[in-house]
Amino acid sequence: MENWREHLKDKPVKYWIRTEIEEIIKEKSVDRKRFYEYSKTKYQKIINEFYYAFADHKKYPKVELNYCWLHFRQELKKIDCISETIGWECMLAKIKERLSYDWNKKVYLILSDGWVYEGYIDNIIDVLEEVDGLLEDFYIVTPQFDKFAAYSDDGQCLVFYEK
């Protein structure tokens, strides 16, 4: 077991994925200007904007990221659904294909554990390709909060939506 993993047992489970992502960033020498943890003092603002943009907050008023994909608004346009059965890396590669966006601009990565990251999609995908088992649901969303990709660990799929 790698040294950093040994220290995880002393931390709440919520911190495991954050620690793993930080280790991947270091191991892969990811430029911190291209992918980084978003300001902790502004996490909730991004989470709230995401939730109020896409979740049926009238029916589910409590802002919650766990199983958030079960509470999306009915009027969202579902663009596509990609199963993880094609392979983790192949599924992640479909993000750039299925969402129309200027990928030279940053996006948010929101984890169901409540962590928020910002960066360029290629760097986000590079890091996500390396996570192993600690990752549950996540959302990759444009800063305009008009489209996003939602990964469901339970469903083992990536679903693409837009307003």
Short mmCIF file of all heavy atoms in Angstrom, two decimals, residues 85-133:
data_model
loop_
_atom_site.label_atom_id
_atom_site.label_comp_id
_atom_site.label_asym_id
_atom_site.label_seq_id
_atom_site.Cartn_x
_atom_site.Cartn_y
_atom_site.Cartn_z
N THR A 85 -19.26 0.41 -19.24
CA THR A 85 -18.85 -0.88 -19.80
C THR A 85 -17.91 -0.73 -20.99
O THR A 85 -17.20 -1.67 -21.33
CB THR A 85 -20.08 -1.72 -20.23
OG1 THR A 85 -20.82 -0.99 -21.20
CG2 THR A 85 -20.95 -2.08 -19.03
N ILE A 86 -17.87 0.45 -21.61
CA ILE A 86 -16.93 0.67 -22.73
C ILE A 86 -15.51 0.91 -22.22
O ILE A 86 -14.58 1.01 -23.01
CB ILE A 86 -17.37 1.83 -23.65
CG1 ILE A 86 -17.29 3.19 -22.93
CG2 ILE A 86 -18.74 1.58 -24.24
CD1 ILE A 86 -17.44 4.39 -23.83
N GLY A 87 -15.38 1.00 -20.91
CA GLY A 87 -14.08 1.27 -20.29
C GLY A 87 -14.08 2.67 -19.70
O GLY A 87 -14.64 3.60 -20.28
N TRP A 88 -13.47 2.79 -18.53
CA TRP A 88 -13.43 4.06 -17.80
C TRP A 88 -12.84 5.18 -18.65
O TRP A 88 -13.42 6.25 -18.79
CB TRP A 88 -12.65 3.85 -16.51
CG TRP A 88 -12.53 5.05 -15.64
CD1 TRP A 88 -11.40 5.77 -15.40
CD2 TRP A 88 -13.56 5.66 -14.87
NE1 TRP A 88 -11.67 6.80 -14.52
CE2 TRP A 88 -12.99 6.76 -14.17
CE3 TRP A 88 -14.92 5.41 -14.68
CZ2 TRP A 88 -13.72 7.58 -13.32
CZ3 TRP A 88 -15.65 6.23 -13.83
CH2 TRP A 88 -15.06 7.30 -13.17
N GLU A 89 -11.66 4.94 -19.25
CA GLU A 89 -10.99 5.98 -20.04
C GLU A 89 -11.81 6.35 -21.27
O GLU A 89 -11.92 7.53 -21.61
CB GLU A 89 -9.58 5.53 -20.46
CG GLU A 89 -8.60 5.44 -19.32
CD GLU A 89 -8.64 4.11 -18.57
OE1 GLU A 89 -9.38 3.19 -19.01
OE2 GLU A 89 -7.96 3.99 -17.55
N CYS A 90 -12.39 5.37 -21.94
CA CYS A 90 -13.21 5.65 -23.13
C CYS A 90 -14.44 6.47 -22.76
O CYS A 90 -14.83 7.39 -23.47
CB CYS A 90 -13.64 4.35 -23.81
SG CYS A 90 -12.28 3.47 -24.58
N MET A 91 -15.05 6.12 -21.63
CA MET A 91 -16.23 6.86 -21.17
C MET A 91 -15.86 8.32 -20.90
O MET A 91 -16.55 9.23 -21.33
CB MET A 91 -16.80 6.21 -19.92
CG MET A 91 -18.06 6.90 -19.40
SD MET A 91 -18.59 6.28 -17.79
CE MET A 91 -17.29 6.92 -16.73
N LEU A 92 -14.75 8.54 -20.19
CA LEU A 92 -14.34 9.91 -19.89
C LEU A 92 -13.99 10.70 -21.15
O LEU A 92 -14.28 11.89 -21.25
CB LEU A 92 -13.14 9.90 -18.93
CG LEU A 92 -13.40 9.39 -17.52
CD1 LEU A 92 -12.09 9.28 -16.75
CD2 LEU A 92 -14.40 10.27 -16.79
N ALA A 93 -13.42 10.03 -22.14
CA ALA A 93 -13.04 10.69 -23.39
C ALA A 93 -14.27 11.21 -24.14
O ALA A 93 -14.17 12.16 -24.92
CB ALA A 93 -12.26 9.73 -24.28
N LYS A 94 -15.42 10.63 -23.88
CA LYS A 94 -16.65 11.04 -24.57
C LYS A 94 -17.15 12.41 -24.12
O LYS A 94 -17.99 13.00 -24.78
CB LYS A 94 -17.76 10.00 -24.36
CG LYS A 94 -17.44 8.63 -24.92
CD LYS A 94 -17.48 8.63 -26.41
CE LYS A 94 -17.23 7.23 -26.96
NZ LYS A 94 -17.13 7.20 -28.39
N ILE A 95 -16.65 12.90 -23.00
CA ILE A 95 -17.12 14.19 -22.49
C ILE A 95 -16.94 15.28 -23.53
O ILE A 95 -17.86 16.04 -23.82
CB ILE A 95 -16.40 14.57 -21.17
CG1 ILE A 95 -16.75 13.56 -20.07
CG2 ILE A 95 -16.75 16.00 -20.75
CD1 ILE A 95 -15.91 13.68 -18.82
N LYS A 96 -15.74 15.35 -24.12
CA LYS A 96 -15.47 16.40 -25.11
C LYS A 96 -16.29 16.20 -26.38
O LYS A 96 -16.61 17.16 -27.07
CB LYS A 96 -13.98 16.43 -25.44
CG LYS A 96 -13.15 17.01 -24.30
CD LYS A 96 -11.68 16.89 -24.51
CE LYS A 96 -11.19 17.78 -25.61
NZ LYS A 96 -9.71 17.78 -25.73
N GLU A 97 -16.62 14.97 -26.70
CA GLU A 97 -17.43 14.69 -27.89
C GLU A 97 -18.89 15.06 -27.70
O GLU A 97 -19.53 15.59 -28.59
CB GLU A 97 -17.38 13.20 -28.23
CG GLU A 97 -16.13 12.72 -28.88
CD GLU A 97 -16.20 11.22 -29.14
OE1 GLU A 97 -17.31 10.69 -29.40
OE2 GLU A 97 -15.14 10.58 -29.08
N ARG A 98 -19.42 14.72 -26.54
CA ARG A 98 -20.87 14.80 -26.32
C ARG A 98 -21.37 16.15 -25.83
O ARG A 98 -22.53 16.48 -26.00
CB ARG A 98 -21.33 13.72 -25.35
CG ARG A 98 -21.07 12.30 -25.82
CD ARG A 98 -21.86 12.00 -27.10
NE ARG A 98 -22.02 10.57 -27.35
CZ ARG A 98 -21.20 9.83 -28.06
NH1 ARG A 98 -20.12 10.37 -28.59
NH2 ARG A 98 -21.45 8.56 -28.25
N LEU A 99 -20.49 16.93 -25.19
CA LEU A 99 -20.89 18.26 -24.74
C LEU A 99 -20.26 19.30 -25.66
O LEU A 99 -19.05 19.32 -25.81
CB LEU A 99 -20.42 18.52 -23.31
CG LEU A 99 -21.23 17.98 -22.16
CD1 LEU A 99 -20.63 18.42 -20.84
CD2 LEU A 99 -22.68 18.38 -22.23
N SER A 100 -21.09 20.12 -26.25
CA SER A 100 -20.54 21.20 -27.07
C SER A 100 -20.14 22.35 -26.14
O SER A 100 -20.96 22.87 -25.38
CB SER A 100 -21.55 21.65 -28.12
OG SER A 100 -22.72 22.14 -27.49
N TYR A 101 -18.86 22.66 -26.18
CA TYR A 101 -18.31 23.69 -25.30
C TYR A 101 -16.94 24.06 -25.84
O TYR A 101 -16.28 23.26 -26.48
CB TYR A 101 -18.21 23.13 -23.86
CG TYR A 101 -17.68 24.13 -22.86
CD1 TYR A 101 -18.44 25.23 -22.48
CD2 TYR A 101 -16.43 23.97 -22.28
CE1 TYR A 101 -17.95 26.15 -21.56
CE2 TYR A 101 -15.95 24.89 -21.36
CZ TYR A 101 -16.71 25.97 -21.01
OH TYR A 101 -16.23 26.88 -20.10
N ASP A 102 -16.50 25.28 -25.55
CA ASP A 102 -15.16 25.71 -25.90
C ASP A 102 -14.20 25.14 -24.86
O ASP A 102 -14.06 25.69 -23.77
CB ASP A 102 -15.08 27.24 -25.94
CG ASP A 102 -13.70 27.76 -26.27
OD1 ASP A 102 -12.75 26.94 -26.43
OD2 ASP A 102 -13.54 28.99 -26.35
N TRP A 103 -13.57 24.03 -25.17
CA TRP A 103 -12.74 23.32 -24.21
C TRP A 103 -11.41 24.02 -23.91
O TRP A 103 -10.61 23.53 -23.13
CB TRP A 103 -12.51 21.87 -24.65
CG TRP A 103 -13.80 21.11 -24.67
CD1 TRP A 103 -14.45 20.63 -25.76
CD2 TRP A 103 -14.62 20.79 -23.55
NE1 TRP A 103 -15.63 20.01 -25.39
CE2 TRP A 103 -15.75 20.10 -24.03
CE3 TRP A 103 -14.52 21.01 -22.17
CZ2 TRP A 103 -16.77 19.63 -23.21
CZ3 TRP A 103 -15.53 20.54 -21.35
CH2 TRP A 103 -16.64 19.86 -21.86
N ASN A 104 -11.21 25.20 -24.49
CA ASN A 104 -10.07 26.04 -24.12
C ASN A 104 -10.39 26.88 -22.89
O ASN A 104 -9.58 27.70 -22.47
CB ASN A 104 -9.66 26.93 -25.29
CG ASN A 104 -9.11 26.12 -26.43
OD1 ASN A 104 -8.30 25.22 -26.23
ND2 ASN A 104 -9.57 26.40 -27.63
N LYS A 105 -11.60 26.71 -22.37
CA LYS A 105 -12.03 27.41 -21.17
C LYS A 105 -12.18 26.40 -20.03
O LYS A 105 -12.42 25.22 -20.27
CB LYS A 105 -13.36 28.12 -21.41
CG LYS A 105 -13.28 29.22 -22.46
CD LYS A 105 -14.61 29.88 -22.64
CE LYS A 105 -14.53 30.97 -23.70
NZ LYS A 105 -15.85 31.60 -23.91
N LYS A 106 -12.08 26.89 -18.83
CA LYS A 106 -12.17 26.03 -17.65
C LYS A 106 -13.61 25.60 -17.37
O LYS A 106 -14.57 26.28 -17.78
CB LYS A 106 -11.61 26.74 -16.42
CG LYS A 106 -10.13 27.00 -16.50
CD LYS A 106 -9.63 27.74 -15.28
CE LYS A 106 -8.16 28.07 -15.41
NZ LYS A 106 -7.67 28.87 -14.29
N VAL A 107 -13.73 24.49 -16.65
CA VAL A 107 -15.01 23.97 -16.18
C VAL A 107 -14.85 23.59 -14.70
O VAL A 107 -13.74 23.56 -14.18
CB VAL A 107 -15.49 22.75 -16.99
CG1 VAL A 107 -15.85 23.15 -18.41
CG2 VAL A 107 -14.47 21.64 -16.99
N TYR A 108 -15.97 23.30 -14.08
CA TYR A 108 -15.94 22.85 -12.69
C TYR A 108 -16.10 21.33 -12.63
O TYR A 108 -16.84 20.75 -13.42
CB TYR A 108 -17.08 23.47 -11.88
CG TYR A 108 -17.00 24.96 -11.77
CD1 TYR A 108 -17.97 25.77 -12.35
CD2 TYR A 108 -15.98 25.58 -11.06
CE1 TYR A 108 -17.91 27.14 -12.25
CE2 TYR A 108 -15.91 26.96 -10.95
CZ TYR A 108 -16.88 27.73 -11.54
OH TYR A 108 -16.82 29.10 -11.44
N LEU A 109 -15.41 20.74 -11.69
CA LEU A 109 -15.60 19.34 -11.34
C LEU A 109 -16.13 19.35 -9.91
O LEU A 109 -15.45 19.83 -8.99
CB LEU A 109 -14.29 18.57 -11.41
CG LEU A 109 -14.29 17.15 -10.81
CD1 LEU A 109 -15.24 16.23 -11.57
CD2 LEU A 109 -12.87 16.58 -10.79
N ILE A 110 -17.35 18.87 -9.74
CA ILE A 110 -17.99 18.85 -8.42
C ILE A 110 -18.16 17.38 -8.02
O ILE A 110 -18.78 16.61 -8.76
CB ILE A 110 -19.35 19.56 -8.44
CG1 ILE A 110 -19.19 21.01 -8.93
CG2 ILE A 110 -20.01 19.51 -7.06
CD1 ILE A 110 -20.51 21.74 -9.19
N LEU A 111 -17.61 17.02 -6.88
CA LEU A 111 -17.73 15.65 -6.39
C LEU A 111 -18.87 15.54 -5.40
O LEU A 111 -19.15 16.49 -4.66
CB LEU A 111 -16.43 15.22 -5.72
CG LEU A 111 -15.13 15.37 -6.52
CD1 LEU A 111 -13.96 14.84 -5.73
CD2 LEU A 111 -15.23 14.67 -7.86
N SER A 112 -19.52 14.39 -5.37
CA SER A 112 -20.65 14.21 -4.46
C SER A 112 -20.23 14.33 -2.99
O SER A 112 -21.07 14.57 -2.14
CB SER A 112 -21.34 12.87 -4.71
OG SER A 112 -20.45 11.80 -4.50
N ASP A 113 -18.94 14.20 -2.72
CA ASP A 113 -18.44 14.38 -1.35
C ASP A 113 -18.37 15.85 -0.96
O ASP A 113 -18.03 16.17 0.17
CB ASP A 113 -17.05 13.76 -1.21
CG ASP A 113 -17.08 12.25 -1.35
OD1 ASP A 113 -17.91 11.61 -0.69
OD2 ASP A 113 -16.27 11.72 -2.13
N GLY A 114 -18.63 16.74 -1.93
CA GLY A 114 -18.64 18.17 -1.64
C GLY A 114 -17.41 18.93 -2.06
O GLY A 114 -17.32 20.14 -1.86
N TRP A 115 -16.43 18.26 -2.66
CA TRP A 115 -15.23 18.94 -3.12
C TRP A 115 -15.49 19.57 -4.48
O TRP A 115 -16.17 18.99 -5.32
CB TRP A 115 -14.05 17.96 -3.21
CG TRP A 115 -13.82 17.23 -1.93
CD1 TRP A 115 -14.03 15.90 -1.71
CD2 TRP A 115 -13.37 17.76 -0.69
NE1 TRP A 115 -13.72 15.58 -0.41
CE2 TRP A 115 -13.32 16.71 0.24
CE3 TRP A 115 -13.00 19.03 -0.27
CZ2 TRP A 115 -12.91 16.89 1.56
CZ3 TRP A 115 -12.60 19.21 1.04
CH2 TRP A 115 -12.56 18.15 1.93
N VAL A 116 -14.92 20.73 -4.70
CA VAL A 116 -15.09 21.45 -5.96
C VAL A 116 -13.70 21.76 -6.53
O VAL A 116 -12.82 22.25 -5.81
CB VAL A 116 -15.88 22.77 -5.77
CG1 VAL A 116 -16.01 23.52 -7.09
CG2 VAL A 116 -17.26 22.48 -5.16
N TYR A 117 -13.54 21.47 -7.82
CA TYR A 117 -12.30 21.73 -8.54
C TYR A 117 -12.61 22.57 -9.76
O TYR A 117 -13.74 22.59 -10.24
CB TYR A 117 -11.63 20.41 -8.98
CG TYR A 117 -11.18 19.56 -7.83
CD1 TYR A 117 -12.05 18.68 -7.21
CD2 TYR A 117 -9.88 19.66 -7.34
CE1 TYR A 117 -11.64 17.90 -6.13
CE2 TYR A 117 -9.46 18.89 -6.26
CZ TYR A 117 -10.35 18.02 -5.66
OH TYR A 117 -9.95 17.27 -4.60
N GLU A 118 -11.59 23.24 -10.26
CA GLU A 118 -11.72 24.02 -11.48
C GLU A 118 -10.53 23.71 -12.36
O GLU A 118 -9.41 23.53 -11.85
CB GLU A 118 -11.78 25.51 -11.18
CG GLU A 118 -12.03 26.36 -12.41
CD GLU A 118 -12.14 27.85 -12.09
OE1 GLU A 118 -11.43 28.33 -11.17
OE2 GLU A 118 -12.93 28.52 -12.76
N GLY A 119 -10.77 23.63 -13.66
CA GLY A 119 -9.66 23.37 -14.55
C GLY A 119 -10.10 23.09 -15.97
O GLY A 119 -11.27 23.21 -16.31
N TYR A 120 -9.11 22.72 -16.78
CA TYR A 120 -9.36 22.40 -18.18
C TYR A 120 -9.69 20.91 -18.30
O TYR A 120 -9.15 20.08 -17.57
CB TYR A 120 -8.13 22.76 -19.02
CG TYR A 120 -7.88 24.24 -19.04
CD1 TYR A 120 -6.95 24.82 -18.16
CD2 TYR A 120 -8.59 25.07 -19.89
CE1 TYR A 120 -6.73 26.18 -18.16
CE2 TYR A 120 -8.37 26.45 -19.90
CZ TYR A 120 -7.45 27.00 -19.03
OH TYR A 120 -7.24 28.35 -19.01
N ILE A 121 -10.56 20.61 -19.22
CA ILE A 121 -11.10 19.25 -19.32
C ILE A 121 -10.02 18.19 -19.51
O ILE A 121 -10.12 17.11 -18.94
CB ILE A 121 -12.20 19.17 -20.41
CG1 ILE A 121 -13.01 17.88 -20.26
CG2 ILE A 121 -11.61 19.29 -21.80
CD1 ILE A 121 -13.81 17.77 -19.00
N ASP A 122 -9.00 18.47 -20.30
CA ASP A 122 -7.96 17.46 -20.51
C ASP A 122 -7.26 17.10 -19.21
O ASP A 122 -6.96 15.93 -18.96
CB ASP A 122 -6.94 17.93 -21.55
CG ASP A 122 -7.52 17.99 -22.96
OD1 ASP A 122 -8.45 17.22 -23.26
OD2 ASP A 122 -7.05 18.82 -23.75
N ASN A 123 -7.01 18.08 -18.37
CA ASN A 123 -6.37 17.83 -17.08
C ASN A 123 -7.32 17.11 -16.12
O ASN A 123 -6.90 16.22 -15.38
CB ASN A 123 -5.87 19.13 -16.46
CG ASN A 123 -4.89 19.83 -17.35
OD1 ASN A 123 -5.26 20.75 -18.08
ND2 ASN A 123 -3.64 19.40 -17.34
N ILE A 124 -8.57 17.49 -16.16
CA ILE A 124 -9.56 16.82 -15.32
C ILE A 124 -9.66 15.35 -15.70
O ILE A 124 -9.62 14.47 -14.84
CB ILE A 124 -10.94 17.52 -15.43
CG1 ILE A 124 -10.87 18.90 -14.79
CG2 ILE A 124 -12.03 16.66 -14.79
CD1 ILE A 124 -12.10 19.77 -15.03
N ILE A 125 -9.73 15.07 -16.99
CA ILE A 125 -9.82 13.69 -17.46
C ILE A 125 -8.56 12.92 -17.08
O ILE A 125 -8.64 11.77 -16.63
CB ILE A 125 -10.09 13.64 -18.98
CG1 ILE A 125 -11.52 14.12 -19.26
CG2 ILE A 125 -9.87 12.24 -19.54
CD1 ILE A 125 -11.85 14.32 -20.73
N ASP A 126 -7.39 13.54 -17.25
CA ASP A 126 -6.13 12.88 -16.88
C ASP A 126 -6.14 12.44 -15.42
O ASP A 126 -5.70 11.33 -15.09
CB ASP A 126 -4.93 13.82 -17.10
CG ASP A 126 -4.53 13.94 -18.55
OD1 ASP A 126 -5.00 13.12 -19.38
OD2 ASP A 126 -3.75 14.85 -18.85
N VAL A 127 -6.65 13.29 -14.55
CA VAL A 127 -6.70 12.95 -13.13
C VAL A 127 -7.77 11.89 -12.87
O VAL A 127 -7.53 10.90 -12.18
CB VAL A 127 -6.92 14.21 -12.27
CG1 VAL A 127 -7.21 13.86 -10.82
CG2 VAL A 127 -5.72 15.14 -12.36
N LEU A 128 -8.96 12.07 -13.44
CA LEU A 128 -10.05 11.10 -13.21
C LEU A 128 -9.70 9.71 -13.72
O LEU A 128 -10.14 8.71 -13.15
CB LEU A 128 -11.35 11.59 -13.86
CG LEU A 128 -12.01 12.80 -13.21
CD1 LEU A 128 -13.24 13.22 -14.01
CD2 LEU A 128 -12.38 12.51 -11.76
N GLU A 129 -8.89 9.63 -14.77
CA GLU A 129 -8.49 8.33 -15.29
C GLU A 129 -7.70 7.52 -14.27
O GLU A 129 -7.68 6.29 -14.34
CB GLU A 129 -7.65 8.49 -16.56
CG GLU A 129 -8.45 8.85 -17.77
CD GLU A 129 -7.60 9.06 -19.02
OE1 GLU A 129 -6.36 9.20 -18.91
OE2 GLU A 129 -8.19 9.10 -20.10
N GLU A 130 -7.07 8.19 -13.32
CA GLU A 130 -6.20 7.53 -12.36
C GLU A 130 -6.87 7.17 -11.04
O GLU A 130 -6.30 6.42 -10.26
CB GLU A 130 -4.98 8.41 -12.07
CG GLU A 130 -4.11 8.69 -13.27
CD GLU A 130 -3.49 7.45 -13.87
OE1 GLU A 130 -3.06 6.57 -13.10
OE2 GLU A 130 -3.44 7.35 -15.10
N VAL A 131 -8.06 7.72 -10.77
CA VAL A 131 -8.70 7.40 -9.49
C VAL A 131 -9.14 5.95 -9.48
O VAL A 131 -9.47 5.38 -10.52
CB VAL A 131 -9.89 8.34 -9.17
CG1 VAL A 131 -9.43 9.77 -9.04
CG2 VAL A 131 -10.99 8.22 -10.18
N ASP A 132 -9.13 5.36 -8.30
CA ASP A 132 -9.47 3.94 -8.26
C ASP A 132 -10.38 3.59 -7.09
O ASP A 132 -9.93 3.33 -5.99
CB ASP A 132 -8.21 3.06 -8.23
CG ASP A 132 -7.30 3.37 -7.07
OD1 ASP A 132 -7.50 4.40 -6.40
OD2 ASP A 132 -6.40 2.56 -6.80
N GLY A 133 -11.65 3.63 -7.34
CA GLY A 133 -12.60 3.12 -6.38
C GLY A 133 -13.08 4.06 -5.31
O GLY A 133 -14.06 3.78 -4.64
#
